[in-house]
Amino acid sequence: MTAEIIDGKAFAARVREQVATHVAKLKEENDLTPGLAVVLVGEDPASQVYVRSKGKQTVEVGMKSVEHKLDVDASEAELLDLIDQLNTDPTIHGILVQLPLPKHLDEDLVINSIDPAKDVDGFHISNVGLLGTGQKSMVPCTPLGCLMMLRDYHGDLSGMNAVVIGRSNIVGKPMANLLLGDSCTVTVAHSRTKDLPDVVRGADIVVAAVGRPEMVPGDWIKKGATVIDVGINRIPAPEKGEGKMKLVGDVDFTSAAKVAGAITPVPGGVGPMTIACLLANTLTACCRSAGLPEPSGLTA
């Protein structure tokens, strides 16, 4: 058996196309342009690349893109003042503060200073609570992307046994809540779970988000299960030459692909969906702020 590859890159392109179509309709019918503001503090190279990619894709779907760059030693008061300005700016519908922040800044305080309605990362404590109680919220982008791919592949997820490996606030916990919302039977496992291999072997759906390279081997996977690999890990790649690195997931792709029914690759699986869902969230926030119908298929 060889697993079907769930192409996140192609799926993300379709999501961006949907977003662009909705944005064009908003502009034409309502004279309304969704606006996304991204705030970057400091000069972390990986963050800079990510912010540039977000800005480029935001413009490509027809949205307004605003970037605010603060010095690495910017004060907390300076950052909170900027967020307050964005909260009250009617042309900005989504606010994203790029993480991680410099150590002298309180991430929780900063995240919770964002207007929950504009919190397109879905990290604000109000959105966390709304999601956890099954109410309308802004949903974290990576878990939303995973859910979209699972719905696309399976259709109805009701009654499926899902195991989420990882309990982070960014992926593991919201992923579990989303799967519960689609009537899955959900187990949240982690590195300290007793008999972890046996727990995973009972799953129809495995979402691996533990941050350990190739931690999940193929013999943990139930035959025909769907595997969503959220992990992005850099490991040495001596076969490519001295000092070279390669990206791998939390799942051993080669062995898992022999038994799974479907699997996301790394790279090219969940990763591209994260920015696509950020754009979808910004569109959703814009529609909600204007009292307009939300775009179908782009929300949880």
Side-chain angles (χ1 to χ4, degrees):
M1 179 177 185
T2 303
E4 180 177 339
I5 304 301
I6 299 176
D7 188 342
K9 193 173 181 180
F11 196 102
R14 295 202 301 273
V15 170
R16 292 195 302 273
E17 187 177 330
Q18 283 180 271
V19 170
T21 299
H22 280 286
V23 170
K25 186 178 178 182
L26 278 178
K27 288 180 175 180
E28 181 181 348
E29 297 181 1
N30 304 96
D31 193 26
L32 182 60
T33 301
L36 173 64
V38 177
V39 179
L40 175 64
V41 184
E43 298 181 355
D44 178 76
S47 291
Q48 287 182 323
V49 170
Y50 199 42
V51 166
R52 279 198 299 271
S53 181
K54 288 173 181 175
K56 180 173 179 288
Q57 293 188 38
T58 303
V59 171
E60 286 174 350
V61 298
M63 292 183 182
K64 174 182 177 179
S65 175
V66 178
E67 292 180 16
H68 292 275
K69 297 181 180 179
L70 300 181
D71 293 337
V72 68
D73 58 355
S75 69
E76 205 164 74
E78 187 179 355
L79 177 55
L80 293 176
D81 182 61
L82 172 58
I83 292 171
D84 187 55
Q85 292 175 42
L86 295 172
N87 282 339
T88 56
D89 185 341
T91 69
I92 297 298
H93 304 94
I95 302 169
L96 183 148
V97 177
Q98 183 65 39
L99 302 178
L101 291 172
K103 294 187 183 301
H104 69 282
L105 300 173
D106 184 335
E107 284 192 358
D108 289 338
L109 176 65
V110 170
I111 289 168
N112 290 320
S113 70
I114 298 171
D115 179 348
K118 296 187 178 187
D119 167 39
V120 286
D121 252 342
F123 295 163
H124 191 287
I125 191 67
S126 294
N127 283 318
V128 173
L130 289 167
L131 177 61
T133 52
Q135 301 179 68
K136 184 184 290 186
S137 68
M138 298 306 300
V139 177
C141 301
T142 300
L144 178 58
C146 295
L147 183 70
M148 284 183 179
M149 290 191 289
L150 286 168
R151 285 175 172 173
D152 181 72
Y153 182 75
H154 286 287
D156 185 12
L157 304 181
S158 179
M160 298 186 76
N161 187 9
V163 171
V164 178
I165 312 173
R167 50 183 167 173
S168 73
N169 293 330
I170 293 174
V171 179
K173 291 175 185 175
M175 188 76 246
N177 281 320
L178 288 172
L179 290 167
L180 283 170
D182 270 30
S183 298
C184 291
T185 299
V186 182
T187 301
V188 178
H190 44 80
S191 59
R192 296 189 183 184
T193 298
K194 291 183 179 179
D195 303 319
L196 180 58
D198 286 339
V199 171
V200 178
R201 287 186 188 111
D204 304 308
I205 295 169
V206 177
V207 181
V210 75
R212 295 190 180 185
E214 301 179 325
M215 173 183 166
V216 181
D219 64 5
W220 288 18
I221 304 300
K222 176 182 176 181
K223 186 176 181 180
T226 302
V227 179
I228 305 294
D229 192 348
V230 182
I232 301 178
N233 310 284
R234 289 187 180 275
I235 64 170
E239 70 276 11
K240 294 184 177 183
E242 187 177 349
K244 296 291 185 180
M245 305 291 283
K246 65 180 178 181
L247 286 178
V248 299
D250 291 350
V251 177
D252 178 15
F253 182 86
T254 302
S255 60
K258 294 176 182 177
V259 292
I263 189 170
T264 59
V266 177
V270 174
M273 286 297 294
T274 299
I275 295 181
C277 288
L278 172 66
L279 302 177
N281 276 351
T282 303
L283 173 61
T284 297
C286 178
C287 291
R288 288 178 181 174
S289 72
L292 298 170
E294 295 178 20
S296 61
L298 297 176
T299 62

